[in-house]
Amino acid sequence: MPAARLYEYTTVDHLGKTQKGRIEASSESAVAGRLRTMGVAPLSIREVANTGLSREISFGGGQRIKLKDLAVMARQLATMISASLSLIRALSILADQTENKALAKVIAQLRADVEVGSSFSDALSAHPAVFPPLMINMVKAGEVGGFLDEVLISVADNLEKDVALRGKIKSAMTYPVVVFFVAILASTGMLLFIVPIFANMFAGLGGTLPLPTLILMKLSDFLKIAIIPIIILVVIGAVWWSRHKNDKAVRERVDPFKLKLPVFGNLFKKVAVARFTRNLGTMLAAGVPVLQALDIVGETSGNLVIEKASRNVQESVRTGQSIAAPLANEPVFPPMVVQMMAVGEDTGALDTMLDKVADFYDQEVESTTEQLTSLIEPLMILFIGVIIGGMVIAMYLPIFKIFDLIE
């Protein structure tokens, strides 16, 4: 899609009054279309150089567009369309009132694309980094079926539930991660600054030090030399992970491992199943074709194991078989999910049954999160106590023999 360019225009209204101005758009035809919606006739339109003085100044970073922002956008758009506002008018209002500047700019581009004849779904698909495939395909189905406002409400509901689900996961993961890093920092500080003081004191006393103390002193000596290389390796590893975590080769190893973790594996599995069933149910209810919906929900599940299972279901549907049958061979899907989907297919209410499964697993995720939080707190306290307490005991063991060393 062409980037937005700066145009200078001259218009005339119904009273014959002329007016000049500047506007950003993807093409001259987009400018003309936008001016006509404003009730004026364009006399001249010409592109002007977008120099460094006229270009918007940006200090880098930019404002992120989150799922919550998209949910608010979809719900507001649905409300305006159901109130009989045209899509272009609704997008104009959204572009002006959206607080997220990055999203407001994208909405303005959507309006410009719709003005020159693009469908709303095609305009959305021109921004794959902003709008998820689920939203794009549901909007396309809503345009074809003539119920765009209802589809947008479903999109908003789906995104809001996904945001809530991610919040539950973060609440379960934040505490142990923070405590773990605090323990690492405290241990590193003791090894670098406190243990050397005791080491100098013990060196002047002579004698043989206990084995735990010797090990602690060796760790301190090693860390003095290796701390800089370790920090460099951690930074390199973090950068590499941020760039390659979505690579297929990486996900083929990491995603199955996540489901097998002793404490969090069950939580990850429930989250993946909840996301799969909710997205599939929402898309089927919106009229998206089954094969297309299965292709999308596999990608949006967040786990390669679920994605492969979705492909197997696609092959089953292509050959005229059921959706539920292939899932019975996938260990990640509990028998209850398979049975409820089979009942939904038999009764012709698969989308409704999928929504019920998703609601059930949402509650399961919330319950599991609460259980993990109550279980992890004492475990992490014990973890810190063992590490810090063990180091303190190792440092003070020689003091119990100090009188023998002096004699």
Side-chain angles (χ1 to χ4, degrees):
M1 185 187 65
R5 297 190 291 269
L6 186 64
Y7 290 90
E8 192 174 68
Y9 62 84
T10 303
T11 62
V12 59
D13 60 16
H14 65 285
L15 298 176
K17 185 178 179 181
T18 61
Q19 185 177 2
K20 294 183 179 181
R22 290 187 174 190
I23 192 172
E24 281 191 353
S26 58
S27 63
E28 288 188 13
S29 57
V31 176
R34 193 179 305 180
L35 292 174
R36 291 190 186 97
T37 61
M38 296 165 59
V40 294
L43 296 177
S44 66
I45 300 173
R46 70 180 185 89
E47 185 179 355
V48 296
N50 197 5
T51 63
L53 294 176
S54 62
R55 190 180 296 123
E56 182 180 358
I57 298 174
S58 175
F59 293 97
Q63 194 173 5
R64 290 182 56 195
I65 300 176
K66 302 179 180 178
L67 286 180
K68 187 176 181 180
D69 299 322
L70 297 182
V72 173
M73 168 193 164
R75 193 169 295 281
Q76 291 178 339
L77 196 57
T79 301
M80 287 186 281
I81 291 175
S82 63
S84 301
L85 270 71
S86 67
L87 179 60
I88 294 177
R89 180 61 178 162
L91 289 172
S92 298
I93 296 172
L94 273 182
D96 292 335
Q97 72 178 23
T98 300
E99 295 181 0
N100 188 312
K101 300 301 180 185
L103 181 57
K105 191 173 182 179
V106 173
I107 294 174
Q109 189 63 55
L110 294 177
R111 178 191 61 193
D113 292 339
V114 173
E115 283 174 344
V116 296
S118 294
S119 66
F120 187 37
S121 57
D122 288 339
L124 292 175
S125 62
H127 303 272
V130 177
F131 302 105
L134 179 141
M135 181 176 182
I136 295 170
N137 284 274
M138 286 184 63
V139 167
K140 185 180 294 185
E143 287 177 322
V144 174
F147 47 90
L148 182 59
D149 53 342
E150 297 177 11
V151 164
L152 287 170
I153 291 175
S154 297
V155 169
D157 290 338
N158 185 278
L159 293 176
E160 287 168 356
K161 289 180 180 179
D162 200 8
V163 169
L165 193 62
R166 295 187 181 197
K168 294 171 186 176
I169 300 170
K170 288 181 179 178
S171 67
M173 297 292 291
T174 300
Y175 182 81
V177 170
V178 170
V179 171
F180 176 77
F181 278 106
V182 168
I184 295 297
L185 290 175
S187 303
T188 302
M190 292 183 69
L191 288 171
L192 288 176
F193 303 109
I194 298 178
V195 173
I197 297 174
F198 280 81
N200 293 332
M201 182 179 68
F202 297 149
L205 296 176
T208 303
L209 296 175
L211 180 61
T213 307
L214 289 173
I215 294 174
L216 196 63
M217 292 172 63
K218 292 293 183 183
L219 284 175
S220 178
D221 294 336
F222 169 76
L223 198 59
K224 289 179 185 178
I225 301 171
I227 183 64
I228 301 300
I230 289 174
I231 292 175
I232 293 174
L233 287 175
V234 169
V235 171
I236 292 174
V239 172
W240 182 91
W241 175 254
S242 65
R243 293 182 178 180
H244 298 282
K245 62 182 178 181
N246 293 323
D247 292 354
K248 186 175 181 180
V250 176
R251 292 185 61 195
E252 284 180 347
R253 294 179 178 271
V254 174
D255 287 358
F257 174 74
K258 285 165 61 177
L259 299 179
K260 296 176 183 177
L261 288 173
V263 178
F264 293 97
N266 193 34
L267 175 63
F268 291 142
K269 183 183 297 186
K270 291 177 179 179
V271 169
V273 172
R275 188 173 292 163
F276 174 86
T277 52
R278 180 185 301 108
N279 291 346
L280 183 58
T282 303
M283 296 194 76
L284 292 178
V288 178
V290 176
L291 291 175
Q292 188 176 354
L294 287 169
D295 189 36
I296 295 168
V297 297
E299 296 178 2
T300 58
S301 65
N303 193 285
L304 199 62
V305 176
I306 299 287
E307 189 173 338
K308 290 181 177 179
S310 182
R311 290 200 197 101
N312 294 336
V313 176
Q314 279 183 291
E315 295 302 321
S316 173
V317 173
R318 282 195 182 98
T319 58
Q321 300 180 28
S322 66
I323 295 177
L327 296 182
N329 301 322
E330 303 293 339
V332 69
F333 289 97
M336 184 204 74
V337 176
V338 179
Q339 293 299 324
M340 290 187 70
M341 290 180 66
V343 172
E345 285 186 287
D346 294 339
T347 58
L350 180 58
D351 54 341
T352 303
M353 197 64 72
L354 286 168
D355 286 339
K356 291 182 179 179
V357 173
D359 291 338
F360 172 79
Y361 274 94
D362 278 344
Q363 296 174 0
E364 284 289 296
V365 169
E366 186 173 357
S367 175
T368 303
T369 300
E370 293 175 356
Q371 293 174 5
L372 284 176
T373 303
S374 61
L375 174 65
I376 286 172
E377 286 185 13
L379 289 178
M380 296 308 294
I381 293 173
L382 179 63
F383 172 72
I384 292 181
V386 168
I387 291 181
I388 306 300
M391 294 176 67
V392 170
I393 292 173
M395 285 189 294
Y396 278 91
L397 275 177
I399 296 179
F400 299 141
K401 300 181 179 180
I402 193 169
F403 294 106
D404 296 334
L405 294 174
I406 294 174
E407 294 177 358

